[in-house]
Amino acid sequence: MSPLWIEHSVWLAGNKLTLASQPRLQKADKQWLSQAIDSQSAALSLQQLLAARPASSVSTLNVLLSGDWVRYGVLPWQDGLYQPNDWQAYARLILAQQFGSNADGWRVCINPAGFGQRRLACAMDESIYQIVLELAKSNKTRLQSVQPLLSSVIAQYRRQLLAAEFALVVTENDSLCCAFWQDKAWQGVINLPINQGSDALHNGGMAALLRQAAMLAQVSLPKQIYISSSAHSLAKLGLPGCEVAYLGAVHPLFTEGVAT
């Protein structure tokens, strides 16, 4: 007999798509399905994985997008913006300038922040969201969220991000996303490719990438480094002159050996 309710989580990375399935309200093993992808095959691969997912009476779906599919920017405080639509228009202007592109086809999300503080903005192509929405509907799966992996990690570990200044590093097999927190606000987000996979983050590779990210974000490299990675070998990583804290996997369903 199939489970009553299964929660499905999709991790859409730059070169791999992984579906993790976990029955709710009962004890059962997690199940994983994955496929290698590129930008042209992601939609077809998602359709194939959803069609092959474990059967249940109720299916819910959460989708996490890696930095390959998301544009990040930090919005300086702007007086006179009182409504969400005002901030949306402002975010589109800042992101369009940052990426040298028209933002009309982007779906923009702005993280909340206090009065007078800078705000983290994320943008994905609206077409990606619509494809996920249609695939969830056609596969009779209730879509709960489509969000950037970085935003999910921030929400998951927010109580552990205690330092006054820090870099939050989220790693995947082919990329590294680094967000810098200083002066009680996010100062910049940089996504960098990892050409040799997660092994490149050892033997000085992580330190070099963090220095490059800080330079691109135009901030000083903070002493405190938080790392979220499903490659658990990074739990013991040390960096000269820095204090490193390993937070855990990027998502409870994605652990070492799955989509890393």
Side-chain angles (χ1 to χ4, degrees):
M1 184 172 125
S2 62
L4 175 63
W5 177 10
I6 296 183
E7 182 181 72
H8 305 283
S9 293
V10 166
W11 181 354
L12 180 56
N15 61 4
K16 182 180 286 188
L17 177 66
T18 302
L19 173 68
S21 302
Q22 174 65 66
R24 299 290 301 270
L25 308 178
Q26 68 182 78
K27 293 183 179 180
D29 292 336
K30 303 170 188 176
Q31 298 184 48
W32 293 274
L33 297 169
S34 65
Q35 289 188 21
I37 62 167
D38 55 35
S39 60
Q40 303 301 316
S41 64
L44 176 60
S45 294
L46 179 56
Q47 167 60 29
Q48 292 171 341
L49 292 189
L50 288 176
R53 75 191 189 280
S56 64
S57 300
V58 177
S59 293
T60 57
L61 177 65
N62 296 286
V63 178
L64 300 174
L65 302 176
S66 77
D68 298 276
W69 302 90
V70 180
R71 304 167 183 87
Y72 294 103
V74 175
L75 310 180
W77 176 258
Q78 184 73 22
D79 291 327
L81 302 183
Y82 303 109
Q83 303 297 327
N85 286 343
D86 298 332
W87 279 101
Q88 279 278 326
Y90 178 49
R92 291 179 184 278
L93 176 63
I94 296 297
L95 290 169
Q97 292 175 345
Q98 179 177 331
F99 291 97
S101 178
N102 190 313
D104 290 343
W106 297 352
R107 188 177 188 87
V108 177
C109 177
I110 303 171
N111 286 21
F115 183 84
Q117 294 182 341
R118 298 158 67 95
R119 302 187 179 195
L120 177 64
C122 315
M124 73 181 80
D125 288 344
E126 179 68 29
S127 59
I128 295 176
Y129 179 81
Q130 292 300 326
I131 287 171
V132 172
L133 189 65
E134 288 300 319
L135 288 177
K137 182 178 180 180
S138 64
N139 286 275
K140 298 181 180 180
T141 303
R142 185 184 306 162
L143 182 62
Q144 292 189 314
S145 68
V146 180
Q147 61 179 322
L149 183 62
L150 175 63
S151 299
S152 176
V153 168
I154 291 173
Q156 182 179 351
Y157 294 112
R158 64 185 182 278
R159 294 183 180 178
Q160 295 171 244
L161 304 176
L162 300 177
E165 296 186 354
F166 62 84
L168 172 60
V169 179
V170 180
T171 76
E172 301 183 69
N173 186 57
D174 63 340
S175 66
L176 173 149
C177 185
C178 187
F180 296 95
W181 177 273
Q182 296 177 3
D183 299 325
K184 300 181 179 180
W186 296 108
Q187 301 298 324
V189 179
I190 302 296
N191 197 67
L192 295 173
I194 303 174
N195 296 326
Q196 293 83 29
S198 58
D199 290 342
L201 299 179
H202 297 274
N203 301 320
M206 174 70 84
L209 285 170
L210 288 180
R211 288 193 297 269
Q212 181 182 356
M215 179 187 67
L216 292 172
Q218 299 182 339
V219 300
S220 58
L221 183 62
K223 184 176 181 180
Q224 180 66 60
I225 309 295
Y226 294 106
I227 297 177
S228 175
S229 175
S230 290
H232 292 168
S233 59
L234 295 180
K236 299 180 180 179
L237 183 70
L239 296 173
C242 296
E243 296 181 5
V244 180
Y246 175 71
L247 300 172
V250 299
H251 186 278
L253 292 184
F254 298 114
T255 57
E256 188 154 33
V258 180
T260 59

